Amino acid sequence: PRFLGQRGAAIDAARADEATVALDTQVTWNDIRRTTELAFVALWLAERVETARRDSATIQATIEAAVAQRVQVGSAPELEALRVHAEKVRADADVLGATAAVTAAGSELGRWMGITDGAGLRASADPPVPDAVPSLDAMLARLDSSAPVRREMSDVHASEARADRERALVRPYMSLDLGTDVGDPTLAGTNYRAQLTIEVPLFNQRGAYIDRERAIGDVARARVQAAHVQGATELAAAYRTFEAATARQRMLVEAVLPAAQGAAKATEEAYVLGRAQLVAVLDAERALVDARLTALDAQASRATAWADIERALGAP
Protein backbone atom coordinates (compact mmCIF):
# COMPACT_ATOMS: atom_id res chain seq x y z
CA PRO A 1 0.00 0.00 0.00
CA ARG A 2 0.99 3.63 -0.46
CA PHE A 3 0.87 5.84 2.61
CA LEU A 4 1.19 9.33 1.17
CA GLY A 5 -2.33 9.75 -0.23
CA GLN A 6 -1.91 8.50 -3.78
CA ARG A 7 -4.35 5.63 -3.41
CA GLY A 8 -6.97 7.75 -1.62
CA ALA A 9 -6.75 10.44 -4.32
CA ALA A 10 -7.17 7.81 -7.04
CA ILE A 11 -10.22 6.34 -5.28
CA ASP A 12 -11.79 9.79 -4.86
CA ALA A 13 -11.26 10.56 -8.56
CA ALA A 14 -12.82 7.25 -9.59
CA ARG A 15 -15.83 7.83 -7.36
CA ALA A 16 -16.28 11.35 -8.76
CA ASP A 17 -16.22 9.98 -12.31
CA GLU A 18 -18.74 7.32 -11.28
CA ALA A 19 -21.10 9.99 -9.90
CA THR A 20 -20.87 11.91 -13.18
CA VAL A 21 -21.70 8.78 -15.18
CA ALA A 22 -24.68 8.10 -12.91
CA LEU A 23 -26.02 11.61 -13.56
CA ASP A 24 -25.39 11.15 -17.29
CA THR A 25 -27.63 8.11 -17.06
CA GLN A 26 -30.33 10.13 -15.33
CA VAL A 27 -30.19 12.88 -17.96
CA THR A 28 -30.54 10.27 -20.70
CA TRP A 29 -33.41 8.64 -18.83
CA ASN A 30 -35.22 11.98 -18.59
CA ASP A 31 -34.90 12.46 -22.34
CA ILE A 32 -36.19 8.96 -23.05
CA ARG A 33 -39.06 9.38 -20.61
CA ARG A 34 -40.12 12.63 -22.29
CA THR A 35 -40.04 10.98 -25.71
CA THR A 36 -42.12 8.10 -24.38
CA GLU A 37 -44.64 10.53 -22.87
CA LEU A 38 -44.92 12.35 -26.19
CA ALA A 39 -45.49 9.03 -27.95
CA PHE A 40 -48.24 8.20 -25.45
CA VAL A 41 -49.88 11.59 -26.01
CA ALA A 42 -49.74 10.99 -29.77
CA LEU A 43 -51.43 7.60 -29.31
CA TRP A 44 -54.08 9.07 -27.02
CA LEU A 45 -54.79 11.86 -29.51
CA ALA A 46 -54.98 9.42 -32.43
CA GLU A 47 -57.52 7.29 -30.55
CA ARG A 48 -59.68 10.27 -29.67
CA VAL A 49 -59.53 11.55 -33.25
CA GLU A 50 -60.61 8.12 -34.47
CA THR A 51 -63.58 8.18 -32.08
CA ALA A 52 -64.56 11.66 -33.31
CA ARG A 53 -64.29 10.54 -36.92
CA ARG A 54 -66.47 7.49 -36.27
CA ASP A 55 -69.08 9.62 -34.56
CA SER A 56 -69.03 11.97 -37.51
CA ALA A 57 -69.43 9.07 -39.94
CA THR A 58 -72.40 7.82 -37.94
CA ILE A 59 -74.03 11.26 -38.07
CA GLN A 60 -73.36 11.48 -41.81
CA ALA A 61 -75.02 8.09 -42.28
CA THR A 62 -78.08 9.32 -40.36
CA ILE A 63 -78.24 12.49 -42.45
CA GLU A 64 -77.89 10.43 -45.64
CA ALA A 65 -80.81 8.23 -44.62
CA ALA A 66 -82.96 11.29 -43.81
CA VAL A 67 -82.11 12.92 -47.15
CA ALA A 68 -82.88 9.68 -49.02
CA GLN A 69 -86.37 9.64 -47.48
CA ARG A 70 -86.95 13.24 -48.49
CA VAL A 71 -85.81 12.51 -52.04
CA GLN A 72 -88.15 9.51 -52.26
CA VAL A 73 -91.19 11.58 -51.30
CA GLY A 74 -90.13 14.38 -53.62
CA SER A 75 -89.48 17.00 -50.93
CA ALA A 76 -85.76 17.24 -51.79
CA PRO A 77 -83.91 17.21 -55.12
CA GLU A 78 -81.76 14.29 -56.24
CA LEU A 79 -78.73 16.54 -56.04
CA GLU A 80 -78.94 16.60 -52.25
CA ALA A 81 -78.74 12.81 -52.13
CA LEU A 82 -75.57 12.90 -54.22
CA ARG A 83 -74.09 15.65 -52.05
CA VAL A 84 -74.78 13.92 -48.76
CA HIS A 85 -73.50 10.61 -50.11
CA ALA A 86 -70.21 12.27 -51.04
CA GLU A 87 -69.92 13.61 -47.51
CA LYS A 88 -70.61 10.13 -46.11
CA VAL A 89 -67.88 8.59 -48.27
CA ARG A 90 -65.51 11.31 -47.16
CA ALA A 91 -66.33 10.63 -43.51
CA ASP A 92 -65.68 6.90 -44.02
CA ALA A 93 -62.31 7.69 -45.59
CA ASP A 94 -61.45 9.89 -42.60
CA VAL A 95 -62.24 6.96 -40.30
CA LEU A 96 -59.88 4.69 -42.23
CA GLY A 97 -57.11 7.27 -42.02
CA ALA A 98 -57.68 7.80 -38.31
CA THR A 99 -57.58 4.05 -37.66
CA ALA A 100 -54.28 3.74 -39.50
CA ALA A 101 -52.91 6.66 -37.45
CA VAL A 102 -53.79 4.82 -34.23
CA THR A 103 -51.86 1.75 -35.36
CA ALA A 104 -48.85 3.86 -36.32
CA ALA A 105 -48.90 5.73 -32.99
CA GLY A 106 -49.08 2.43 -31.10
CA SER A 107 -46.06 1.14 -32.99
CA GLU A 108 -44.12 4.31 -32.17
CA LEU A 109 -44.95 4.02 -28.47
CA GLY A 110 -43.98 0.34 -28.51
CA ARG A 111 -40.57 1.27 -29.88
CA TRP A 112 -39.82 3.35 -26.78
CA MET A 113 -41.31 0.72 -24.47
CA GLY A 114 -39.13 -2.03 -25.91
CA ILE A 115 -42.06 -3.83 -27.56
CA THR A 116 -41.37 -5.34 -30.96
CA ASP A 117 -44.90 -4.92 -32.26
CA GLY A 118 -46.79 -2.16 -30.47
CA ALA A 119 -49.54 -1.79 -33.08
CA GLY A 120 -52.06 -3.14 -30.58
CA LEU A 121 -51.17 -0.73 -27.79
CA ARG A 122 -53.97 1.54 -26.61
CA ALA A 123 -54.11 4.38 -24.10
CA SER A 124 -55.98 3.26 -21.00
CA ALA A 125 -56.36 6.78 -19.56
CA ASP A 126 -55.87 10.44 -20.36
CA PRO A 127 -52.30 11.84 -20.26
CA PRO A 128 -51.38 12.62 -16.63
CA VAL A 129 -51.47 16.39 -16.24
CA PRO A 130 -52.02 18.12 -12.87
CA ASP A 131 -54.97 20.46 -12.48
CA ALA A 132 -52.88 23.02 -10.60
CA VAL A 133 -49.15 23.63 -10.96
CA PRO A 134 -46.69 25.68 -8.89
CA SER A 135 -45.75 29.16 -9.98
CA LEU A 136 -42.97 29.69 -12.51
CA ASP A 137 -40.76 31.29 -9.86
CA ALA A 138 -41.15 28.23 -7.63
CA MET A 139 -40.15 25.96 -10.50
CA LEU A 140 -37.17 28.12 -11.45
CA ALA A 141 -35.92 27.79 -7.88
CA ARG A 142 -35.71 24.02 -8.38
CA LEU A 143 -33.37 24.19 -11.38
CA ASP A 144 -30.23 23.79 -9.27
CA SER A 145 -31.41 20.30 -8.32
CA SER A 146 -32.22 19.30 -11.89
CA ALA A 147 -30.26 16.44 -13.42
CA PRO A 148 -28.58 18.49 -16.22
CA VAL A 149 -27.26 21.11 -13.79
CA ARG A 150 -26.18 18.52 -11.22
CA ARG A 151 -24.45 16.57 -13.97
CA GLU A 152 -22.28 19.58 -14.91
CA MET A 153 -21.57 20.33 -11.24
CA SER A 154 -20.51 16.72 -10.78
CA ASP A 155 -18.14 17.11 -13.71
CA VAL A 156 -16.57 20.09 -11.90
CA HIS A 157 -16.02 17.96 -8.78
CA ALA A 158 -14.64 15.11 -10.91
CA SER A 159 -12.09 17.40 -12.59
CA GLU A 160 -10.99 18.70 -9.17
CA ALA A 161 -10.63 15.14 -7.89
CA ARG A 162 -8.57 14.15 -10.92
CA ALA A 163 -6.34 17.20 -10.39
CA ASP A 164 -5.81 16.11 -6.76
CA ARG A 165 -4.89 12.65 -8.02
CA GLU A 166 -2.28 14.13 -10.35
CA ARG A 167 -0.86 16.24 -7.51
CA ALA A 168 -0.64 13.15 -5.31
CA LEU A 169 1.45 11.43 -7.95
CA VAL A 170 4.08 14.17 -7.60
CA ARG A 171 4.75 13.16 -4.01
CA PRO A 172 7.21 10.35 -3.16
CA TYR A 173 5.85 6.80 -3.07
CA MET A 174 6.17 4.80 0.12
CA SER A 175 5.37 1.09 -0.28
CA LEU A 176 5.37 -1.60 2.41
CA ASP A 177 5.82 -5.23 1.34
CA LEU A 178 5.13 -7.98 3.89
CA GLY A 179 5.80 -11.72 3.36
CA THR A 180 6.28 -15.05 5.10
CA ASP A 181 7.77 -18.49 4.37
CA VAL A 182 5.08 -20.50 6.14
CA GLY A 183 4.76 -24.01 4.68
CA ASP A 184 8.34 -24.30 3.31
CA PRO A 185 9.56 -27.78 4.48
CA THR A 186 13.19 -26.90 3.86
CA LEU A 187 13.22 -24.34 6.65
CA ALA A 188 13.54 -25.11 10.32
CA GLY A 189 11.18 -22.33 11.27
CA THR A 190 8.94 -19.63 9.83
CA ASN A 191 10.65 -16.61 8.38
CA TYR A 192 8.96 -13.24 8.16
CA ARG A 193 10.08 -10.40 5.99
CA ALA A 194 9.14 -6.75 5.58
CA GLN A 195 10.35 -4.27 3.01
CA LEU A 196 9.75 -0.53 3.02
CA THR A 197 10.37 1.17 -0.31
CA ILE A 198 10.46 4.90 -0.94
CA GLU A 199 10.41 6.10 -4.55
CA VAL A 200 11.26 9.71 -5.21
CA PRO A 201 9.92 11.05 -8.55
CA LEU A 202 12.82 13.34 -9.41
CA PHE A 203 11.83 13.95 -13.02
CA ASN A 204 8.06 13.97 -12.64
CA GLN A 205 6.14 15.56 -15.52
CA ARG A 206 2.64 15.75 -13.98
CA GLY A 207 2.33 19.55 -14.25
CA ALA A 208 0.75 19.42 -17.70
CA TYR A 209 -1.82 16.88 -16.51
CA ILE A 210 -2.73 19.09 -13.55
CA ASP A 211 -3.17 22.09 -15.87
CA ARG A 212 -5.34 19.97 -18.15
CA GLU A 213 -7.69 19.01 -15.31
CA ARG A 214 -7.88 22.63 -14.19
CA ALA A 215 -8.87 23.65 -17.72
CA ILE A 216 -11.48 20.89 -17.85
CA GLY A 217 -12.85 22.16 -14.55
CA ASP A 218 -13.12 25.71 -15.90
CA VAL A 219 -15.03 24.42 -18.92
CA ALA A 220 -17.33 22.41 -16.64
CA ARG A 221 -18.07 25.52 -14.55
CA ALA A 222 -19.04 27.36 -17.72
CA ARG A 223 -21.30 24.45 -18.67
CA VAL A 224 -22.98 24.68 -15.26
CA GLN A 225 -24.00 28.26 -16.01
CA ALA A 226 -25.04 27.35 -19.55
CA ALA A 227 -27.13 24.41 -18.31
CA HIS A 228 -28.84 26.67 -15.77
CA VAL A 229 -29.65 29.32 -18.39
CA GLN A 230 -30.83 26.74 -20.91
CA GLY A 231 -32.97 25.01 -18.30
CA ALA A 232 -34.54 28.30 -17.22
CA THR A 233 -35.29 29.23 -20.83
CA GLU A 234 -36.82 25.86 -21.66
CA LEU A 235 -38.83 25.85 -18.43
CA ALA A 236 -40.22 29.35 -19.01
CA ALA A 237 -41.21 28.53 -22.59
CA ALA A 238 -42.86 25.25 -21.59
CA TYR A 239 -44.66 26.92 -18.68
CA ARG A 240 -46.12 29.68 -20.85
CA THR A 241 -47.12 27.12 -23.47
CA PHE A 242 -48.83 25.11 -20.76
CA GLU A 243 -50.74 28.18 -19.57
CA ALA A 244 -51.84 29.04 -23.11
CA ALA A 245 -52.91 25.46 -23.87
CA THR A 246 -54.84 25.27 -20.59
CA ALA A 247 -56.72 28.50 -21.30
CA ARG A 248 -57.41 27.42 -24.88
CA GLN A 249 -58.71 24.02 -23.85
CA ARG A 250 -60.97 25.50 -21.19
CA MET A 251 -62.47 27.96 -23.67
CA LEU A 252 -63.03 25.24 -26.27
CA VAL A 253 -64.60 22.76 -23.86
CA GLU A 254 -66.72 25.24 -21.94
CA ALA A 255 -67.84 27.56 -24.75
CA VAL A 256 -66.95 26.63 -28.31
CA LEU A 257 -67.83 22.92 -28.24
CA PRO A 258 -71.27 23.35 -26.58
CA ALA A 259 -72.09 26.12 -29.04
CA ALA A 260 -71.10 23.94 -32.01
CA GLN A 261 -73.18 21.05 -30.66
CA GLY A 262 -76.19 23.29 -30.18
CA ALA A 263 -75.83 24.80 -33.65
CA ALA A 264 -75.54 21.37 -35.30
CA LYS A 265 -78.60 20.04 -33.49
CA ALA A 266 -80.69 23.12 -34.28
CA THR A 267 -79.69 23.02 -37.94
CA GLU A 268 -80.61 19.35 -38.25
CA GLU A 269 -84.03 20.01 -36.71
CA ALA A 270 -84.56 22.97 -39.02
CA TYR A 271 -83.68 20.83 -42.03
CA VAL A 272 -86.18 18.16 -41.01
CA LEU A 273 -88.84 20.86 -40.81
CA GLY A 274 -87.80 22.25 -44.18
CA ARG A 275 -86.47 25.50 -42.74
CA ALA A 276 -82.78 24.98 -43.57
CA GLN A 277 -80.76 23.88 -46.55
CA LEU A 278 -78.65 20.70 -46.64
CA VAL A 279 -75.53 22.79 -47.07
CA ALA A 280 -76.18 24.42 -43.69
CA VAL A 281 -76.52 21.01 -42.05
CA LEU A 282 -73.26 19.76 -43.53
CA ASP A 283 -71.45 22.96 -42.57
CA ALA A 284 -72.72 22.69 -39.01
CA GLU A 285 -71.52 19.08 -38.75
CA ARG A 286 -68.10 20.02 -40.07
CA ALA A 287 -67.92 22.84 -37.56
CA LEU A 288 -68.79 20.42 -34.76
CA VAL A 289 -66.13 17.92 -35.83
CA ASP A 290 -63.55 20.70 -36.12
CA ALA A 291 -64.43 21.94 -32.63
CA ARG A 292 -64.02 18.44 -31.17
CA LEU A 293 -60.69 17.91 -32.91
CA THR A 294 -59.44 21.34 -31.86
CA ALA A 295 -60.36 20.66 -28.23
CA LEU A 296 -58.53 17.34 -28.37
CA ASP A 297 -55.49 19.00 -29.90
CA ALA A 298 -55.49 21.61 -27.14
CA GLN A 299 -55.56 18.88 -24.49
CA ALA A 300 -52.70 17.08 -26.22
CA SER A 301 -50.72 20.33 -26.40
CA ARG A 302 -51.25 20.80 -22.68
CA ALA A 303 -49.92 17.30 -21.95
CA THR A 304 -46.93 17.88 -24.24
CA ALA A 305 -46.10 21.15 -22.50
CA TRP A 306 -46.23 19.43 -19.12
CA ALA A 307 -43.81 16.76 -20.37
CA ASP A 308 -41.48 19.58 -21.45
CA ILE A 309 -41.76 21.15 -17.98
CA GLU A 310 -40.80 17.86 -16.32
CA ARG A 311 -37.83 17.45 -18.65
CA ALA A 312 -36.62 21.00 -17.97
CA LEU A 313 -36.83 20.33 -14.23
CA GLY A 314 -35.01 17.02 -14.70
CA ALA A 315 -37.65 15.25 -12.62
CA PRO A 316 -36.65 11.68 -11.71
Side-chain angles (χ1 to χ4, degrees), residues 1 175-184 187 189-197:
S175 301
L176 179 62
D177 184 16
L178 301 176
T180 180
D181 294 329
V182 176
D184 190 346
L187 299 177
T190 301
N191 292 330
Y192 299 94
R193 64 177 182 275
Q195 180 179 354
L196 180 63
T197 303

Side-chain angles (χ1 to χ4, degrees), residues 146-223:
S146 66
V149 174
R150 287 190 296 117
R151 190 268 175 210
E152 302 302 341
M153 293 177 63
S154 178
D155 207 9
V156 172
H157 298 325
S159 65
E160 293 174 349
R162 289 192 299 268
D164 291 340
R165 179 190 61 192
E166 297 297 335
R167 293 189 188 94
L169 294 176
V170 177
R171 297 192 292 265
Y173 301 160
M174 181 181 295
S175 301
L176 179 62
D177 184 16
L178 301 176
T180 180
D181 294 329
V182 176
D184 190 346
T186 62
L187 299 177
T190 301
N191 292 330
Y192 299 94
R193 64 177 182 275
Q195 180 179 354
L196 180 63
T197 303
I198 299 178
E199 300 180 13
V200 181
L202 296 179
F203 302 100
N204 190 281
Q205 302 293 328
R206 312 306 301 182
Y209 295 100
I210 296 174
D211 293 340
R212 180 193 63 184
E213 296 302 333
R214 286 176 176 172
I216 292 175
D218 292 338
V219 173
R221 291 184 184 89
R223 288 204 307 267

Side-chain angles (χ1 to χ4, degrees), residues 35-298:
T35 305
T36 305
E37 289 178 346
L38 297 184
F40 175 82
V41 172
L43 175 60
W44 174 87
L45 180 59
E47 290 182 19
R48 298 305 185 273
V49 169
E50 181 190 24
T51 300
R53 294 298 186 188
R54 290 189 182 278
D55 293 344
S56 177
T58 301
I59 294 173
Q60 292 294 340
T62 303
I63 295 175
E64 183 181 24
V67 171
Q69 292 179 358
R70 291 172 61 87
V71 171
Q72 288 178 358
V73 300
S75 59
E78 184 69 24
L79 181 61
E80 289 192 356
L82 297 175
R83 176 68 182 274
V84 75
H85 179 70
E87 292 293 333
K88 174 62 170 59
V89 173
R90 178 183 175 182
D92 292 339
D94 290 339
V95 170
L96 293 177
T99 302
V102 171
T103 303
S107 299
E108 178 65 16
L109 178 60
R111 181 165 72 97
W112 294 103
M113 294 176 61
I115 299 175
T116 304
D117 185 9
L121 290 176
R122 295 295 181 270
S124 60
D126 293 341
V129 180
D131 295 330
V133 298
S135 65
L136 179 58
D137 291 338
M139 289 187 176
L140 289 173
R142 295 167 49 188
L143 278 180
D144 287 338
S145 62
S146 66
V149 174
R150 287 190 296 117
R151 190 268 175 210
E152 302 302 341
M153 293 177 63
S154 178
D155 207 9
V156 172
H157 298 325
S159 65
E160 293 174 349
R162 289 192 299 268
D164 291 340
R165 179 190 61 192
E166 297 297 335
R167 293 189 188 94
L169 294 176
V170 177
R171 297 192 292 265
Y173 301 160
M174 181 181 295
S175 301
L176 179 62
D177 184 16
L178 301 176
T180 180
D181 294 329
V182 176
D184 190 346
T186 62
L187 299 177
T190 301
N191 292 330
Y192 299 94
R193 64 177 182 275
Q195 180 179 354
L196 180 63
T197 303
I198 299 178
E199 300 180 13
V200 181
L202 296 179
F203 302 100
N204 190 281
Q205 302 293 328
R206 312 306 301 182
Y209 295 100
I210 296 174
D211 293 340
R212 180 193 63 184
E213 296 302 333
R214 286 176 176 172
I216 292 175
D218 292 338
V219 173
R221 291 184 184 89
R223 288 204 307 267
V224 170
Q225 297 179 356
H228 195 281
V229 172
Q230 181 178 356
T233 302
E234 292 179 353
L235 178 58
Y239 191 88
R240 298 309 181 193
T241 302
F242 180 83
E243 286 184 328
T246 300
R248 182 167 178 257
Q249 181 196 14
R250 183 179 298 112
M251 177 63 68
L252 288 167
V253 173
E254 296 179 358
V256 177
L257 190 56
Q261 291 173 340
K265 182 178 180 181
T267 306
E268 290 176 15
E269 294 175 350
Y271 177 76
V272 173
L273 297 175
R275 297 175 181 174
Q277 298 294 324
L278 177 62
V279 174
V281 177
L282 298 178
D283 288 342
E285 290 299 332
R286 287 199 204 95
L288 176 57
V289 172
D290 289 342
R292 290 185 62 182
L293 296 180
T294 303
L296 291 172
D297 183 72

